[in-house]
Amino acid sequence: MTTLAPNDDLEFLLQRSVAQILKSEDPAQFLRWFEQSAEAIAPNFFSAFVDGAEALRGFKSFFARYVWNRTHLPGNHFRPLPLPKPERNAPCVCGSGLKYKQCCLRMEAAQNEFPNLSMLPYVLDALTAKQRADLPYAYLSAEELAHVARQWMEEGRAQDAAKLLEGLFRDVNKLDDRAEAAFDCLLDCYDILGNPQKKKKLLERGTGAADKRLRAAAMQRQCCILADRNEYAEAWALFQDLQRLVPNDPSLSHLEITILLNQGEQKRAAERATFWVARLSRDPDFGHGPLIEFLRGVAQGNVAGAMGGLARELGSTMNSLTSLIDHLPPPEVHYTLRTMEDSAGPLMSDNKLQGLIAQWEVQGEFSEKMEDDIEWLQRNPLAWSCFEILDEWLEAVEDARISHGFESVVLLPVLRHAEALLRLILKRYQADGLKLEWGWHENRPALRVMQRLVSMSRLTHNTAEAVRVAEWMVLTLNPNDNQGMREGLLHNYLRLNRVGDALALAAQYPHDMAAMEYGKVLALVMDKQMSAAQKAMEVARKRYPEVAKMLLAAKPKQPRLQDGLVQAGGKDEAWYYRQDYFDLWQTSDALSWLQNEC
């Protein structure tokens, strides 16, 4: 039989204790059961804390009462019903025959070993789905519910977490600032579950909440969403509303800097970060250490380091993850290539990698949370040299996005490591400059990982890096561009004012999709080739009229969108184009030209 560690022992003991309490909600019956059964259930836990029969009796008596006093009882509206504290001169509750002050009073100090012990997760886990749906939320602590929900979410139980918190927000006007953490957690759950409609409705209710802290939390989230969509005018208008609502909220500093960095306004972000450092340093009521360090990093121009430093403050999972990434092993070549003419051929993994891939597939079946994968990767460092594993792991981790700075601290280092691995393999087989086509299924994991590197570089405003990798993929590795990377490359050329390269790329893909056709028009306008731009626009508008309409709309209405699906020539395609590239049309004066043309 497997020997449990003290922490695992404790977990099992608490589960069994709650099950016993819920049977009768009788303290005397529970205390008798604990005295008789606890040591057999959790021997390693008790041996780690006490030594000797007398000390064991006292500790068991203390811990039984401690567990009872913190357990939420359904019969008491899910509130604890603590036992009265023994009088100093009364007989000790452990049954030793001594006075309490001479016996187990000293055990009260043991409470410091378990300061944040919450029994609510164990109580809720013991309930049926119907019982959880009928919880008396008016009697429950919103902060403790948020703690349970966040724990479940990190364990891969986002659906359970969302159902738990949805009951709390049935009437948002009955809640106050104590529900802010639960509000943020429920929004995160909807992100994980891919439920944008529920997220949108919750945000709408939040922005109309009676409590101003809840309103502010909803407005901050909405502000970030607008900035992510490049709708900066709306984001700044909402930010000004937030300043009026909560003018002294320190979190406004992080929000302002985040929007500026999203816009690529590093210089302005550094100026504002300097202002915020001075202001928060004078705050006598709060310590803002991690926030000030983040702001100081931005002020000094070290944006990636600043985001990373803040991310590392966000709990054990993030710390474990960043520690793992900080110690990535050097890439190893465990693939073979058989070059042919202008092709490198398929990436063929060796037996060692194939065995590791099989182990990873088994790991995926039993993994319940991110920590499980972290532990597996720590035991199997060769996984960092396997595109098949990296492809799947990055997809899962990217979806998690558990903190600000996550991209810079976790995703980009791994993606750059993967690029180094691919270049090392090509060099080993003298395949530099050859194609690595998508048509070979064996090449797809590596190409997908490289595509993520381009996307993540763009997201973090590393435009030059995004262009460098995208050029390599589109112009060398996979000129057929099955992954549709050419439109992003063309527009990033324009962001770097490489208009000639943009036009050359457009010439390689004539009569292409909407983004390439309108990107060509934009490049011609930026190159002052107005006659050619007019002709290209006639072609683009004839084939894809919705894009022009969307670009010209003062306040376009978002069409119905379906994840992973885009209709060629449809309003959804036009919407996505505007979201991604409208800023280029504005800053280059191409939008004014288009308005005159139409």
Side-chain angles (χ1 to χ4, degrees):
M1 187 173 75
T2 303
T3 301
L4 295 176
N7 284 345
D8 295 327
D9 247 11
L10 175 59
E11 188 82 3
F12 188 41
L13 175 63
L14 296 177
Q15 291 171 358
R16 291 287 302 276
S17 295
V18 165
Q20 187 66 28
I21 289 171
L22 296 187
K23 284 181 181 179
S24 64
E25 299 188 27
D26 181 341
Q29 186 174 326
F30 168 68
L31 294 177
R32 283 195 301 272
W33 171 86
F34 198 95
E35 167 63 26
Q36 297 166 4
S37 307
E39 188 182 359
I41 292 171
N44 297 305
F45 168 69
F46 286 105
S47 64
F49 275 91
V50 292
D51 185 21
E54 184 179 339
L56 176 61
R57 182 183 65 246
F59 183 72
K60 281 200 298 183
S61 174
F62 148 73
F63 200 67
R65 294 171 64 83
Y66 189 69
V67 168
W68 172 269
N69 289 345
R70 298 176 79 93
T71 298
H72 303 70
L73 304 176
N76 191 41
H77 300 295
F78 285 88
R79 294 175 298 183
L81 198 60
L83 297 167
K85 183 178 178 179
E87 296 289 335
R88 288 173 56 84
N89 291 314
C92 189
V93 291
C94 75
S96 66
L98 299 172
K99 292 182 179 181
Y100 180 66
K101 68 180 181 182
Q102 297 168 330
C103 189
C104 287
L105 176 62
R106 66 182 183 274
M107 285 295 173
E108 290 185 6
Q111 296 180 65
N112 297 329
E113 298 289 339
F114 315 97
N116 299 314
L117 177 64
S118 170
M119 298 303 295
L120 186 58
Y122 304 99
V123 173
L124 294 175
D125 265 332
L127 302 179
T128 65
K130 185 179 185 308
Q131 287 173 316
R132 286 209 292 263
D134 294 333
L135 286 172
Y137 285 96
Y139 294 95
L140 289 164
S141 160
E143 292 105 318
E144 199 164 8
L145 286 169
H147 171 75
V148 175
R150 181 70 63 180
Q151 180 178 317
W152 285 358
M153 188 181 76
E154 291 177 356
E155 292 172 354
R157 299 174 57 188
Q159 187 71 52
D160 290 337
K163 287 181 179 178
L164 176 65
L165 295 181
E166 282 171 345
L168 180 66
F169 287 95
R170 286 192 187 111
D171 187 350
V172 73
N173 288 322
K174 290 183 178 180
L175 302 174
D176 57 25
D177 61 330
R178 291 171 293 181
E180 184 177 350
F183 183 80
D184 285 333
C185 184
L186 184 52
L187 290 171
D188 291 340
C189 286
Y190 289 149
D191 281 337
I192 292 171
L193 296 169
N195 202 326
Q197 290 304 314
K198 281 192 172 183
K199 179 179 179 179
K200 181 181 178 182
K201 289 178 181 178
L202 179 62
L203 283 170
E204 289 172 351
R205 287 158 55 205
T207 53
D211 183 79
K212 74 174 184 178
R213 290 301 317 173
L214 276 182
R215 287 208 309 280
M219 290 166 69
Q220 287 204 32
R221 277 297 187 103
Q222 192 64 46
C223 215
C224 291
I225 291 170
L226 290 168
D228 287 342
R229 293 175 180 170
N230 296 330
E231 296 177 20
Y232 295 114
E234 294 84 351
W236 285 120
L238 192 56
F239 180 80
Q240 290 174 349
D241 291 342
L242 265 168
Q243 287 180 307
R244 288 187 285 270
L245 181 65
V246 283
N248 297 315
D249 189 343
S251 67
L252 291 178
S253 63
H254 185 270
L255 180 60
E256 181 180 11
I257 300 306
T258 299
I259 298 173
L260 287 169
L261 292 176
N262 263 22
Q263 282 185 285
E265 296 282 351
Q266 276 84 357
K267 183 178 178 181
R268 180 63 177 156
E271 293 171 354
R272 292 299 296 165
T274 302
F275 161 80
W276 279 109
V277 167
R279 177 172 173 177
L280 295 179
S281 297
R282 294 193 299 268
D283 188 343
D285 298 323
F286 298 98
H288 304 295
L291 181 56
I292 288 176
E293 286 306 307
F294 159 74
L295 294 166
R296 188 170 285 125
V298 174
Q300 294 170 353
N302 182 17
V303 175
M307 298 298 281
L310 190 64
R312 292 170 197 272
E313 299 290 332
L314 296 175
S316 59
T317 298
M318 192 65 186
N319 283 331
S320 299
L321 197 51
T322 52
S323 177
L324 182 67
I325 303 308
D326 285 344
H327 298 90
L328 287 178
E332 299 179 18
V333 176
H334 287 273
Y335 290 91
T336 57
L337 290 172
R338 286 187 294 178
T339 60
M340 51 192 84
E341 297 180 358
D342 62 345
S343 173
L347 280 165
M348 303 298 295
S349 54
D350 65 13
N351 291 336
K352 199 169 183 179
L353 275 195
Q354 289 174 19
L356 193 62
I357 292 168
Q359 293 177 41
W360 171 254
E361 290 174 354
V362 173
Q363 163 70 13
E365 293 178 10
F366 294 96
S367 175
E368 295 181 353
K369 53 187 183 296
M370 189 182 294
E371 286 88 342
D372 295 335
D373 290 341
I374 292 172
E375 291 175 6
W376 189 88
L377 289 166
Q378 287 171 333
R379 296 194 306 269
N380 296 279
L382 183 59
W384 300 108
S385 292
C386 178
F387 288 116
E388 288 80 358
I389 293 175
L390 288 174
D391 182 31
E392 292 186 4
W393 184 74
L394 283 164
E395 181 179 7
V397 173
E398 188 176 344
D399 287 342
R401 294 284 177 88
I402 60 178
S403 82
H404 293 294
F406 193 71
E407 297 84 359
S408 299
V409 179
V410 175
L411 298 176
L412 276 175
V414 175
L415 290 164
R416 288 166 180 158
H417 172 91
E419 181 193 356
L421 171 63
L422 183 56
R423 290 190 183 276
L424 184 63
I425 294 168
L426 293 170
K427 184 176 180 180
R428 173 73 59 86
Y429 291 98
Q430 299 180 341
D432 286 330
L434 299 184
K435 297 176 183 177
L436 194 76
E437 300 101 326
W438 180 264
W440 296 101
H441 285 263
E442 295 86 351
N443 295 341
R444 293 184 181 182
L447 291 172
R448 280 194 294 264
V449 171
M450 291 301 98
Q451 184 176 18
R452 282 198 178 89
L453 175 54
V454 173
S455 300
M456 205 53 54
S457 298
R458 289 174 59 193
L459 182 65
T460 54
H461 300 287
N462 292 299
T463 307
E465 181 177 34
V467 166
R468 176 183 60 77
V469 180
E471 278 183 320
W472 184 38
M473 294 188 67
V474 174
L475 305 181
T476 301
L477 296 181
N478 187 38
N480 285 338
D481 190 29
N482 309 77
Q483 295 163 277
M485 302 189 64
R486 55 193 182 274
E487 68 166 83
L489 176 58
L490 186 152
H491 287 84
N492 276 333
Y493 275 146
L494 297 178
R495 293 187 193 283
L496 298 177
N497 206 30
R498 292 172 57 178
V499 180
D501 289 328
L503 289 171
L505 183 64
Q508 289 187 37
Y509 299 92
H511 313 297
D512 206 349
M513 300 299 289
M516 289 294 287
E517 294 294 304
Y518 279 86
K520 178 182 176 181
V521 174
L522 180 57
L524 288 168
V525 172
M526 291 176 68
D527 202 40
K528 309 300 182 186
Q529 298 187 44
M530 299 309 181
S531 177
Q534 288 174 334
K535 292 178 182 178
M537 177 53 77
E538 289 175 7
V539 173
R541 288 186 67 192
K542 185 175 181 180
R543 297 186 65 195
Y544 305 106
E546 294 297 336
V547 175
K549 294 177 186 176
M550 195 69 74
L551 287 172
L552 292 168
K555 291 184 178 180
K557 183 179 179 181
Q558 179 178 318
R560 184 176 181 181
L561 305 175
Q562 290 181 280
D563 278 345
L565 295 175
V566 179
Q567 180 183 355
K571 292 182 179 180
D572 54 347
E573 180 184 54
W575 174 264
Y576 286 127
Y577 182 82
R578 180 187 168 104
Q579 294 293 101
D580 291 338
Y581 307 122
F582 186 68
D583 62 313
L584 269 172
W585 283 80
Q586 283 183 309
T587 57
S588 65
D589 291 330
L591 188 61
S592 299
W593 171 86
L594 179 59
Q595 289 167 342
N596 291 332
E597 286 297 307
C598 298

